[in-house]
């Protein structure tokens, strides 16, 4: 759609109701005095702009590191057979598992939960509704792994929602999630 220069400041809306946010639109160069032409990205609505409050995101990373390390160590202590099974995996299987956990899962799941779903829920009900709804849905997909796993994921769901809300960017929850998985896969080797 077309929008005047004033329509590119802050969170504005196009005539068709599309919300514009920084990082979600391309602006075609236009001659002086003419209208600017905006093309929507496929990723529009993800909220994947730059991370605000990097110091706070580092603090969330430290909290995540402490929690993930404690849970991993407690799990391996309580169930030594889990550690034995993990350490006996074929190297190729382990590498694929680690790649999936550190790269694929954070990107795919966070784009869905704290990307598209977050933006929709936040638009309709605010940050608290978005946090609760995406957190509960995130926990729900882990129910097949057992109730104990779901309970252990509650702090992570809260940390991911805090990262998404406080940084204003999907990038922070993806990075925090990758950090969580990287720590969880590194603990057995420490």
């Amino acid at each position: 759609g077309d929008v005047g220069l004033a329509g590119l400041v802050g969170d504005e809306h196009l005539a068709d109701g599309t919300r514009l946010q920084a990082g979600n639109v391309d602006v075609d160069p236009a001659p002086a005095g003419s209208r600017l032409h905006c093309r929507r990205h496929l990723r529009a609505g993800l909220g994947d702009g730059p991370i605000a409050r990097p110091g706070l995101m580092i603090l969330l990373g430290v909290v995540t590191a402490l929690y993930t390390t404690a849970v991993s160590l407690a799990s391996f202590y309580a169930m030594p057979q889990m550690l034995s099974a993990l350490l006996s995996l074929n190297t190729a299987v382990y590498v694929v598992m680690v790649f999936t956990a550190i790269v694929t899962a954070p990107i795919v799941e966070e784009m869905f939960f704290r990307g598209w779903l977050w933006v929709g829920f936040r638009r309709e009900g605010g940050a608290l509704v978005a946090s609760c709804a995406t957190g509960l849905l995130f926990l729900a997909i882990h129910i097949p792994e057992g109730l104990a796993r779901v309970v252990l994921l509650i702090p992570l769901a809260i940390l991911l929602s805090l990262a998404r809300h406080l940084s204003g960017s999907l990038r922070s929850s993806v990075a925090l999630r990758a950090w969580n998985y990287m720590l969880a896969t590194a603990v057995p080797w420490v």
Side-chain angles (χ1 to χ4, degrees):
D2 292 339
V3 65
L5 184 58
L8 293 175
V9 179
D11 289 344
E12 298 295 331
H13 299 270
L14 294 176
D16 68 355
T18 303
R19 183 174 176 193
L20 296 177
Q21 296 174 325
N24 290 342
V25 223
D26 277 342
V27 179
D28 291 330
S34 67
R35 300 180 111 187
L36 297 175
H37 296 280
C38 301
R39 292 187 313 266
R40 285 181 251 164
H41 281 268
L42 289 176
R43 69 181 198 198
L46 277 177
D48 68 339
I51 295 174
R53 302 181 178 133
L56 194 52
M57 294 309 104
I58 290 170
L59 177 62
L60 288 175
V62 169
V63 171
T64 300
L66 293 171
Y67 179 74
T68 301
T69 303
V71 167
S72 295
L73 289 173
S75 297
F76 293 135
Y77 179 77
M79 297 176 287
Q81 70 278 11
M82 186 170 78
L83 180 59
S84 301
L86 186 60
L87 296 176
S88 66
L89 284 175
N90 174 303
T91 304
V93 171
Y94 187 75
V95 167
V96 169
M97 186 179 82
V98 168
F99 179 82
T100 301
I102 294 174
V103 178
T104 308
I107 292 171
V108 172
E109 290 184 15
E110 291 307 304
M111 282 178 64
F112 181 70
F113 289 108
R114 273 150 290 271
W116 290 301
L117 285 180
W118 175 277
V119 170
F121 282 122
R122 186 161 195 271
R123 185 178 313 131
E124 297 301 320
L128 183 60
V129 168
S131 295
C132 292
T134 58
L136 288 172
L137 290 169
F138 170 74
L139 295 171
I141 67 162
H142 291 89
I143 288 173
E145 298 170 32
L147 184 59
R149 173 84 169 141
V150 171
V151 170
L152 289 173
L153 285 174
I154 291 172
L156 181 61
I158 292 168
L159 288 167
L160 292 170
S161 289
L162 280 172
R164 174 64 174 94
H165 175 66
L166 296 174
S167 74
S169 177
L170 171 66
R171 295 175 188 180
S172 60
S173 62
V174 170
L176 197 62
R177 184 83 177 277
W179 174 238
N180 168 64
Y181 281 133
M182 186 168 39
L183 290 167
T185 58
V187 166
W189 305 104
V190 178

